[in-house]
Amino acid sequence: MSAVPEPTTSVPDHDNPAPNGTDEPDPLAMERAHLAASRAALRAMRADAEALDIGDVTASWVTAEVLRGDVERRIAALADLADTPLFFGRLDYLRPIDHEAGSGDATGAPVDESGRRFHIGRRHVHDAHGDPMVIDWRAPVSQPFYRASPTDPRGVRMRRRFGYEGGELTALEDEHLGGPAAEPGDGSGGAAATGGNLLLREIERPRVGPMRDIVATIQPEQDEIVRAPLRGSLCVQGAPGTGKTAVGLHRVAYLLYAHRERLSRSGTLVIGPNRSFLRYIEQVLPALGELEVRQTTVDALVSAATGLEPRGTDDPAVARLKGDARMAEVLRRAVRSGVRMPEEALEVPRGARRWRVPAHEVADIVRGLLERDIRYGAALEALPQRLAHAVLVRMERAGEAPDDRVQAAVARSAPVKAMVRRLWPAVDPAKLVLRLLSDPAFLAERAEGLLAPQEVELLPWPRPARGVRSAPWSPADAVLVDEVRDLVTRTPSLGHVVLDEAQDLSPMQYRAVGRRCSTGSVTVLGDLAQGTTPWATGTWAEAMAHLGKPEAAVAELTLGFRVPREIIAYASRLLPAIAPGLAEAGSVRRSPGSLRVRRVTAGELDAAVVAACGEALEREGSVGLIAADARLPALRAALVGAGHEPLGPGEETSVGRRLTLVAASLVKGLEYDHVVLDEPAAVVGAEPDERTGLRRLYVALTRAVSGLTVVHHT
C-alpha cells in the first residue's frame, strides 16, 4: 500500500480563513450546513418509505408480504445513525462528469448544481428533486476518492476529508491533486500544523465496542480488492493490521451494490473462525446499509446442513487425518459400496404380457451410471427411468405405442422398485459415516490404497456407536457427513462467499465451503503465519484447489495501518520459525513507547499483569488481556480482587467496561487498543507442537493497535 497521503490544507474550525484554491468563504460552516441538509433529506427519504401504501398495488397476499418485507428493509437501511458521519469526504472534479463515458454515478442520478462536486458517504442521499446530496462510496464516481494521487489525479482537482466527533463535523482537510492549485509538493509534505492528518487520526482513533467500517480510510490497494469483479475468485494474504477482514466485509457491501439483483437471488455469506469473531464484526455491514448478509462459522454451517450437534472431540492426529483430502475418496468409495450388479433379469408384467430385460442389459445400465460419476442421488432417480425405458423399447419393437405415461407407470411398478432397491440402495449420510467410524473392516476396505494401515487404525471411534443420536460426533466428523450429503445430493451454491481466517481450515473444510460457492465466487482472507491448527494451510494454491477455485488470483497486503511499527517488528522476529516464506510485515505508524516487556518473578506474575491492565485502563480505548486458556481462572480472580470485572470475548465494550479477558485460542481476528500479554511461554506451551505454539504467540502479539505490554516471569 502507498503511504498515507498528507494534506495540503487543514481547517480545524470555522474561524480559519478559506483554504487556498477554494471559493468558499467559510468552508467548515458550509459543510456543516450541507450535513444538516443531508440529514434532513435522509429523514425525508425514510418518511417517504414509511408512507408507502402497497395495499392497492398487489394482486395477492403473498406478493403483499414480499413487498412489505422490501419496504421494511428499505426503512431500516434509511436509518440515520446519530454517531455515524453521513459523509466523510468530498471530490471536486476539474470538469463535469461525463456520464456517457461511464464515469458518473452508478445510480444514474444527476450531479449537483456545480456539475463537478460530490460528497462521499456510506449511502446515497438525494433531495426532494432527486438530485444527489451524498454519493454512495461504492459508486464509480466515488472511486477516485480512494485511488486518486498527485501523479494520477483521475480528473480530481481537490479531495477533501472530514473530521468528526460523534456525529458532529469538527474539521476538514484538502488535498489539491490537479489543476492550477496543484503544486509539486502537494500531497507529499508534512501535515498542516493546525489540522493534523485526519486520515491517520481516523485510523488511529481508539475503539470501544465492536469493529467498525473503514469506508473513510480505505487505501488504494485495499480498494482494488474491494472492487474486484464478482466473476473471479480472490485470495488475500494479509499481514496483521493490514485490514484484510474489513476489506472482505467492504467487498461484500460493494458486490451487493454493483450486483444486487443477481446476489439477492443467489445469496452471500460471510464465514468467520468462531462466534466471538462474528460478534465483533457483526455491525460492519449493517452500518453500510447491508442488513441481509448471513454470517456464520464452518462448524455452524455444517451442523445446520447435517442436523448434527457435535459433542465429541478428536486428538490432533485424528482430526488432522479426518480433515485430509484423501478422505473425500474414501467417502466416495463408501457411498458407492452398496451398488450391486443384477443376478437375474428384470421382468415387468403389463396387461397380458411380461416384459423381460436380461441381467446383462440391466448391468450395462448400472455401469453406465457409475461411469458417468453423477451424484449418487441423481443416479438413484435416473435408474428406474432407465429400466423403464428398456421395457418401452421392447414394447415398441412388439408393435405397441407407449407414451410418457406408460414409462412413468413402469418406473413406479413393484418389480422396477424392487430391483432398484437391490442394485442401488438409498444412502443416509450420517449412517454411512457412522458405519465407517464404527466398523474397522468396512473402513479398511474403503481406504485400501489411500490410507496407510496405521492411519486406518486411528480413525474408528474407541467404542462403536449404536446410532446416529448417541454417536460421539466431533466437528471433523460432521464435515465428513456433509461431504457424503454432497455426494448424494448437490449442495446449493451461493453467489459469493467471504471466508475469513482461512489458514486454519483443513482440506475437507475447504471442500465444505467450496461446494457452497461451486457456481459462484469466493474471497478468501487469511495469513499463513497465523495458522494455529495442526492441519493449517501450507500454501494458498493448495487451499484454492481444495475450494475448487484453482484459477483464483492471490493478492498480498503487507503494509499495516493499525499495528504500530515497533510492535509488528517485535512480532515479526518469529516469522523465520513459523512462516519462512513470508515477507516481514511493515506499518506506516511509528509509535515510540508502544511496546513494553516486563520480566518478574513467578510469584509476582499475577500482580504484575493486573498492574499492567490498570495502567492500560488509564489510557483511552479498549484493553485486552490475552493469556493461555489455563491461566484464565487465576487471572480473572486477580482482576476481580483488584476491582476490575473483565468482559468475555465477543462481549461489547463500553465506556464503563473496557477490559476484556480473552484466551489466546480465541483472540484471532480481534483487536484492542491496548493489549497486555500474560506469560508468552504458557501460550506456546499450551499447543500440541512448538510451531503451532509460536504461531499462536504471533497472533497474540499482533492484536494491539496502540500499545502492547508483555509480562513474563524468569
Side-chain angles (χ1 to χ4, degrees), residues 209-475:
M211 182 180 182
R212 63 173 185 261
D213 66 73
I214 61 166
V215 287
T217 62
I218 293 174
Q219 296 301 296
E221 290 80 357
Q222 294 174 325
D223 191 62
E224 289 181 12
I225 294 170
V226 167
R227 298 176 194 261
L230 172 64
R231 64 181 178 273
S233 291
L234 183 65
C235 175
V236 181
Q237 160 63 40
T242 55
K244 57 183 178 294
T245 294
V247 166
L249 294 173
H250 288 67
R251 175 158 170 73
V252 172
Y254 171 76
L255 292 177
L256 286 169
Y257 174 87
H259 307 278
R260 188 168 301 280
E261 183 176 350
R262 175 177 174 182
L263 290 178
S264 65
R265 295 193 305 267
S266 57
T268 55
L269 180 67
V270 174
I271 302 177
N274 53 58
R275 288 295 176 187
S276 296
F277 176 84
L278 294 180
R279 286 193 293 269
Y280 177 60
I281 69 169
E282 65 184 357
Q283 296 303 318
V284 174
L285 287 170
L288 298 174
E290 302 301 340
L291 308 175
E292 300 284 311
V293 180
R294 183 183 170 200
Q295 301 181 19
T296 188
T297 65
V298 173
D299 288 346
L301 188 69
V302 168
S303 292
T306 60
L308 300 178
E309 291 294 337
R311 298 182 299 272
T313 57
D314 292 314
D315 290 333
V318 175
R320 181 171 188 167
L321 182 56
K322 288 179 178 178
D324 194 294
R326 293 173 295 169
M327 289 301 299
E329 178 60 22
V330 173
L331 295 171
R332 194 188 75 85
R333 291 180 182 180
V335 166
R336 294 172 176 268
S337 64
V339 176
R340 298 287 182 266
M341 292 300 164
E343 298 178 353
E344 55 187 20
L346 169 66
E347 293 188 3
V348 180
R350 185 160 181 85
R353 301 191 60 175
R354 298 179 68 85
W355 303 97
R356 186 175 185 276
V357 181
H360 70 84
E361 188 170 335
V362 175
D364 287 343
I365 292 173
V366 173
R367 276 192 290 268
L369 291 172
L370 287 171
E371 290 169 359
R372 286 187 61 193
D373 202 26
I374 61 177
R375 279 177 168 75
Y376 190 88
L380 179 59
E381 293 177 359
L383 181 55
Q385 295 297 327
R386 299 288 179 88
L387 295 175
H389 178 72
V391 172
L392 261 65
V393 168
R394 284 160 172 76
M395 296 173 70
E396 291 171 346
R397 289 174 182 170
E400 297 190 17
D403 56 18
D404 291 345
R405 291 174 297 177
V406 174
Q407 179 168 332
V410 172
R412 293 193 303 269
S413 66
V416 170
K417 286 184 176 180
M419 179 156 283
V420 169
R421 284 195 298 269
R422 290 195 300 272
L423 304 184
W424 206 282
V427 169
D428 181 290
K431 290 181 179 179
L432 182 72
V433 175
L434 182 145
R435 183 183 177 190
L436 268 177
L437 300 177
S438 300
D439 185 344
F442 180 67
L443 172 62
E445 187 175 352
R446 307 287 84 77
E448 185 176 359
L450 292 171
L451 304 181
Q454 58 270 30
E455 291 178 315
V456 174
E457 292 177 1
L458 274 178
L459 284 175
W461 290 320
R463 289 182 295 180
R466 294 183 178 181
V468 171
R469 291 187 178 181
S470 61
W473 299 110
S474 69

Side-chain angles (χ1 to χ4, degrees), residues 108-120:
V111 298
D112 71 357
E113 67 280 356
S114 71
R116 54 195 175 96
R117 176 175 297 168
F118 301 89
H119 285 78
I120 312 301

Side-chain angles (χ1 to χ4, degrees), residues 576-598:
I578 62 176
L582 289 184
E584 181 175 333
S587 176
V588 299
R589 295 181 56 206
R590 187 182 292 276
S591 181
S594 58
L595 173 65
R596 301 177 182 180
V597 180
R598 296 177 180 175

Side-chain angles (χ1 to χ4, degrees), residues 45-86:
M45 291 170 62
R46 183 181 173 100
D48 288 344
E50 292 172 335
L52 285 175
D53 182 5
I54 61 173
D56 296 331
V57 298
T58 58
S60 68
W61 70 270
V62 175
T63 305
E65 287 300 310
V66 172
L67 285 176
R68 187 172 291 108
D70 290 342
V71 171
E72 289 175 355
R73 284 189 289 272
R74 175 162 176 76
I75 291 171
L78 289 171
D80 184 6
L81 306 177
D83 293 333
T84 302
L86 194 55

Side-chain angles (χ1 to χ4, degrees), residues 88 181 223 382 391 401 539 587 605 679-680:
F88 49 81
D223 191 62
V391 172
T539 68
S587 176
L605 183 60
E679 190 46 66

